[in-house]
Amino acid sequence: MNTVSIVSTGRYVPEFYELSEEAIEAEQLDPDRIHDLGTYKVHVDKQDEGYNMAVKAAQSAIAKAGITALDIDVLIISSGFGRKYLIHDDAAYLRYLIGAKKASAFRVEQGCNSAVVSLNYAFSRLKSDKRVHNILVISYEFFKKPLVNRWKSVESSILGDGASAAVIQKSTKGFNILGVYGVTDGYFCDIWRTDVGGLKHPFLGDNEADMTAFEYNIYKTAAEYLCNDKNKGMLQNVLVQNNKVVFDGLLEKLKMSYTDINKLVMYNVGIYVLKKVIKMVGIEEDKTSMYLSRQYGHIGNADILFNLDHMLDDGKFEDQDIVGLFSAGAGFSWGSVMLKYSA
Amino acid sequence: MSNYPVAISGVGSYVPDQYIEISLTDRCPDLPMEYVIDIGFEKIHFADDNEFPVDMAISAARKAINRAKLSPSQIDIIIFSNFGVPEYYYWANYAKIHSELRAKKAQAFYLNQCHNSQLRAIEFGTNLICSNEHIQHILVISADSYRNVADRWQSFKGTFLSDGASACVLSRQKGKYTILGFKETNPESFSCVYNYPEEGLITALSEKKQLLTERALTVEGIFDPESCDIRFDGFFDQVRENVTALIEEAGLELSNIKRIITLNFNEKLCTQICKALKVKEDVISWTVGSEYGHIGPADILLNLDQILERRMVKKGDYIILLGTALDLSMMSCLVKC
């Protein structure tokens, strides 16, 4: 058998949530921006569950796959933003927490597109290595002040906390992975950067300037790198073009077209961004994950597996549906995955 | 044994010009001479004030691409990995490399499995080529620097930290340095020993200054800093089992292996690996690695690059690349020249 499938998914969000309407006053937000984004609530890790969110999502996916943690051969961890510490082997730590004692564990990063990179690893490894049977992919995010302000740090979304996971096997059950594709354009990589907190400017914490610089603030860096119309235009072109390039590239390799896509699972950025993607694909909004962006906000790289799991629970998929996954990451990178659902 | 249609088509490395000769012990802090001798490095290299991992990574990558007789525009995927100290707390360093190399059609991302990151990236790249007929060339790069954030003599017990980078191109082809297979071994986890306890989402703002401290980096319970010995009794058994399984799957014996390329941790550890495998000490890459110090995952391809440059292998020879992550997960890769 050479078919590789996402046989199960799992998700977790903390119980506590905050409403956008209430945050407008509390955080002194621009109401027009918040309304354009369309997200009315986000879940917040008030109880410092941290890594346990990832564990709960993983346990859900493992249980649904009908396996145990000991059956996992490889564990891939990703988070787009949220390092708990500057240096921490979180993959090995999660392996320990989950009890995947036989698994090798590592981490991948491509901003909020990291989960697509993880899926690509699972797909290629299972295709080419007959010794491997179960790969667990876990994505998690949590955002905390003062480093990240979930309402303000990113212009195009409101950030929520949570986690998602998937078990990938050589199987024809579930979501058969038809192909994975990715694109990177690093020209504007410096827009997404914290100036302090690494080799170049170690965080010393002993002056106000350091503390201010340590805060993750896209507006601050964007103001520097998008200071003229030429750069703004270039960035806009890069963003729009590569949304299409990453779909076109995969469809071409699979000898498919946009009309073949029955359902679309996207990352949960603002509604005005998602509508452009939906228009590009040419699919009805009710066949997409857009409603989940309103309910949960942007859980970073955890979005796409979270949404896939949620939509499955909501009965959104029909047998033999072709399901497109789309996300993008800071830096910038874009990713697409094409799935075929077997009920 | 998987016999992959993938070969290492080019290797490159970069170390800064500046170095310290370990024999000049007045340049080292107050460390017992016996400890310094056990570690066994001849020198360590260090980057200057304006040189950072991404800069070094680009230098190593360009060499690897040139030696593969390719242009950056032919690279399909770039995998950047390192030990883990980034230029900035948050930054898409892999995207910066992508941009600087002008690898226009490539996708780029970052991978981390601590010291095993580079071998994991080679395994990832090999599987990507095997499973996707559209992928021809993958660039694997690692680079690290410890300036500002570590005491390179004492932050990591049992070794001295050095700066540098290494890279290789994996290509869809047989010949040159063909990848024959991989073997992984995963013992019980030792993951909890490795936090850098400041600067992150949990303890973002602290009065404590940022420095990788002994508390942060000493792998207590695994490594005995006094004797330079691995405390984990099963470690060398694991090395033997892993390597033996790898070569048996290929129908080979240990006597067929010309070189074993490992991390540059310390001389005593390399000697113990030789004993465990019952191979001569000149088989292991310490012969060249002792000149560079411990960079991190970049050690592996740096040593391979040096071994190839010095013509220490010939056509038909077999090489094993052997890496270990911080949780003592182990990966080996068999290569035929």
Side-chain angles (χ1 to χ4, degrees):
Chain A
M1 180 189 297
N2 207 24
T3 303
V4 173
S5 297
I6 299 171
V7 297
S8 67
T9 47
R11 69 181 191 276
Y12 181 81
V13 287
E15 196 176 339
F16 185 85
Y17 60 83
E18 292 179 0
L19 297 172
S20 300
E21 283 299 332
E22 292 174 2
I24 288 173
E25 188 176 341
E27 295 284 344
Q28 296 182 314
L29 307 174
D30 174 3
D32 290 341
R33 173 180 159 255
I34 298 303
H35 294 147
D36 286 348
L37 290 174
T39 298
Y40 67 85
K41 80 172 160 60
V42 288
H43 288 254
V44 177
D45 182 20
K46 278 267 185 187
Q47 295 181 312
D48 287 332
E49 291 183 86
Y51 288 123
N52 285 325
M53 296 192 296
V55 172
K56 287 171 182 171
Q59 287 170 338
S60 171
I62 290 168
K64 287 181 199 172
I67 60 172
T68 72
L70 289 172
D71 296 318
I72 303 295
D73 298 300
V74 184
L75 172 58
I76 315 168
I77 304 299
S78 59
S79 64
F81 286 89
R83 289 186 180 194
K84 210 168 183 180
Y85 306 100
L86 179 63
I87 296 176
H88 183 217
D89 191 352
D90 58 350
Y93 185 52
L94 280 168
R95 171 186 163 218
Y96 167 77
L97 291 179
I98 292 165
K101 292 180 178 178
K102 295 177 184 171
S104 48
F106 65 96
R107 172 188 179 88
V108 296
E109 289 178 21
Q110 200 185 50
C112 295
N113 196 46
S114 302
V116 171
V117 177
S118 298
L119 288 174
N120 204 6
Y121 176 87
F123 179 62
S124 61
R125 181 79 188 266
L126 286 162
K127 279 269 186 190
S128 53
D129 191 340
K130 62 185 178 187
R131 299 169 298 184
V132 174
H133 305 288
N134 298 297
I135 295 182
L136 176 63
V137 168
I138 307 175
S139 302
Y140 71 93
E141 304 281 3
F142 50 91
F143 306 96
K144 289 184 187 297
K145 291 180 181 177
L147 182 59
V148 180
N149 181 323
R150 70 179 70 250
W151 305 100
K152 293 179 177 176
S153 285
V154 181
E155 183 183 10
S156 61
S157 61
I158 299 170
L159 302 169
D161 299 338
S164 60
V167 173
I168 297 100
Q169 296 176 343
K170 293 185 189 85
S171 172
T172 54
K173 296 176 185 170
F175 295 95
N176 305 340
I177 302 176
L178 304 178
V180 185
Y181 191 63
V183 172
T184 297
D185 187 328
Y187 188 79
F188 287 103
C189 67
D190 286 326
I191 293 175
W192 294 77
R193 194 182 83 190
T194 51
D195 282 341
V196 166
L199 290 163
K200 289 202 175 185
H201 302 287
F203 174 65
L204 302 178
D206 52 6
N207 64 64
E208 193 63 33
D210 265 7
M211 291 190 187
T212 304
F214 191 54
E215 182 186 354
Y216 184 77
N217 185 343
I218 185 73
Y219 296 100
K220 183 180 62 186
T221 49
E224 182 181 341
Y225 286 93
L226 302 178
C227 59
N228 58 57
D229 289 342
K230 184 186 169 192
N231 277 3
K232 285 179 187 171
M234 278 176 65
L235 177 62
Q236 191 63 26
N237 281 340
V238 165
L239 296 177
V240 172
Q241 281 176 9
N242 283 329
N243 283 349
K244 186 161 168 45
V245 166
V246 79
F247 262 113
D248 288 350
L250 182 56
L251 291 170
E252 185 185 335
K253 288 178 194 306
L254 296 174
K255 297 183 172 56
M256 297 171 74
S257 69
Y258 283 99
T259 55
D260 292 320
I261 300 173
N262 303 116
K263 303 287 159 52
L264 182 62
V265 180
M266 303 172 287
Y267 65 156
N268 295 338
V269 289
I271 297 299
Y272 68 88
V273 179
L274 298 180
K275 285 191 172 181
K276 288 177 183 171
V277 177
I278 289 169
K279 186 179 177 186
M280 182 193 77
V281 175
I283 192 168
E284 294 94 332
E285 283 183 10
D286 63 355
K287 293 181 177 175
T288 76
S289 62
M290 197 168 78
Y291 69 108
L292 297 171
S293 179
R294 297 182 192 277
Q295 292 177 33
Y296 295 96
H298 186 26
I299 315 174
N301 91 116
D303 281 349
I304 58 164
L305 291 174
F306 184 94
N307 290 352
L308 189 69
D309 186 57
H310 208 304
M311 289 174 75
L312 189 61
D313 283 352
D314 293 345
K316 295 284 186 181
F317 301 115
E318 295 169 41
D319 190 36
Q320 303 304 301
D321 265 355
I322 298 295
V323 181
L325 307 186
F326 169 77
S327 64
F332 291 87
S333 293
W334 295 259
S336 59
V337 184
M338 211 59 72
L339 309 171
K340 186 175 187 179
Y341 178 59
S342 298
Chain B
M1 166 61 61
S2 301
N3 195 347
Y4 299 102
V6 181
I8 297 172
S9 56
V11 186
S13 62
Y14 173 86
V15 289
D17 291 337
Q18 300 178 87
Y19 62 84
I20 297 171
E21 288 185 41
I22 304 298
S23 59
L24 302 174
T25 49
D26 59 325
R27 299 286 303 274
C28 306
D30 293 332
L31 293 169
M33 182 55 67
E34 191 179 336
Y35 175 73
V36 174
I37 290 169
D38 274 354
I39 288 177
F41 288 128
E42 294 170 32
K43 55 188 177 182
I44 58 169
H45 291 254
F46 58 97
D48 68 28
D49 290 351
N50 299 309
E51 197 169 39
F52 292 94
V54 163
D55 308 314
M56 296 189 288
I58 290 165
S59 297
R62 285 188 172 134
K63 285 182 190 173
I65 293 168
N66 285 338
R67 287 172 181 166
K69 297 184 171 54
L70 297 170
S71 72
S73 63
Q74 291 174 276
I75 301 296
D76 296 295
I77 292 177
I78 297 169
I79 309 176
F80 178 60
S81 65
N82 71 356
F83 172 76
V85 187
E87 275 90 336
Y88 304 101
Y89 172 78
Y90 185 84
W91 190 41
N93 44 19
Y94 52 88
K96 182 69 173 178
I97 293 168
H98 174 278
S99 175
E100 291 294 316
L101 287 176
R102 297 174 191 265
K104 289 185 177 176
K105 76 168 180 176
Q107 172 189 189
F109 57 88
Y110 176 80
L111 183 152
N112 187 282
Q113 197 184 14
C114 291
H115 299 91
N116 196 46
S117 299
Q118 195 167 61
L119 257 181
R120 173 64 64 187
I122 291 171
E123 180 259 336
F124 193 164
T126 300
N127 284 314
L128 281 169
I129 291 173
C130 288
S131 62
N132 189 329
E133 62 184 1
H134 302 286
I135 296 174
Q136 300 298 321
H137 306 289
I138 293 181
L139 176 62
V140 170
I141 323 170
S142 299
D144 267 298
S145 168
Y146 301 92
R147 193 177 68 87
N148 280 342
V149 295
D151 176 339
R152 56 181 82 244
W153 306 103
Q154 298 190 74
S155 282
F156 206 159
K157 293 294 185 186
T159 194
F160 298 147
L161 299 169
S162 193
D163 300 340
S166 63
C168 77
V169 177
L170 301 170
S171 296
R172 182 185 296 281
Q173 64 182 72
K174 293 265 186 182
K176 213 161 185 184
Y177 309 107
T178 303
I179 291 173
L180 298 180
F182 296 89
K183 183 69 184 175
E184 291 185 66
T185 311
N186 302 298
E188 295 286 326
S189 177
F190 283 88
S191 57
C192 299
V193 297
Y194 197 53
N195 283 355
Y196 173 47
E198 307 297 332
E199 196 173 305
L201 286 162
I202 297 299
T203 51
L205 293 176
S206 161
E207 295 305 311
K208 293 176 183 174
K209 290 178 190 274
Q210 178 188 0
L211 183 69
L212 299 180
T213 62
E214 187 175 321
R215 176 165 68 104
L217 283 177
T218 300
V219 283
E220 308 252 1
I222 298 176
F223 195 76
D224 184 346
E226 301 303 323
S227 65
C228 290
D229 282 337
I230 292 277
R231 279 179 176 158
F232 176 46
D233 292 336
F235 179 77
F236 295 105
D237 293 336
Q238 182 182 305
V239 170
R240 185 169 52 250
E241 287 168 16
N242 180 292
V243 170
T244 303
L246 177 76
I247 58 178
E248 281 181 357
E249 281 185 31
L252 300 173
E253 297 175 356
L254 268 167
S255 58
N256 297 119
I257 305 302
K258 182 72 173 179
R259 301 285 169 201
I260 297 172
I261 295 172
T262 64
L263 298 166
N264 301 334
F265 203 69
N266 64 50
E267 184 172 18
K268 192 168 181 180
L269 187 65
C270 289
T271 304
Q272 286 172 294
I273 289 173
C274 290
K275 282 182 183 170
L277 294 175
K278 296 178 181 169
V279 296
K280 293 178 182 174
E281 289 185 15
D282 63 356
V283 169
I284 212 154
S285 58
W286 183 254
T287 319
V288 296
S290 61
E291 297 173 23
Y292 294 98
H294 181 41
I295 299 170
D299 288 352
I300 298 288
L301 288 174
L302 169 72
N303 291 343
L304 177 61
D305 190 35
Q306 291 302 312
I307 280 170
L308 297 178
E309 273 203 358
R310 299 176 197 194
R311 300 181 189 282
M312 294 167 69
V313 289
K314 60 182 188 304
K315 189 176 179 182
D317 282 347
Y318 292 95
I319 299 173
I320 288 175
L321 312 181
L322 179 64
T324 310
L326 202 80
D327 61 354
L328 296 184
S329 294
M330 183 169 293
M331 176 178 275
S332 57
C333 172
L334 183 62
V335 177
K336 185 178 183 182
C337 299

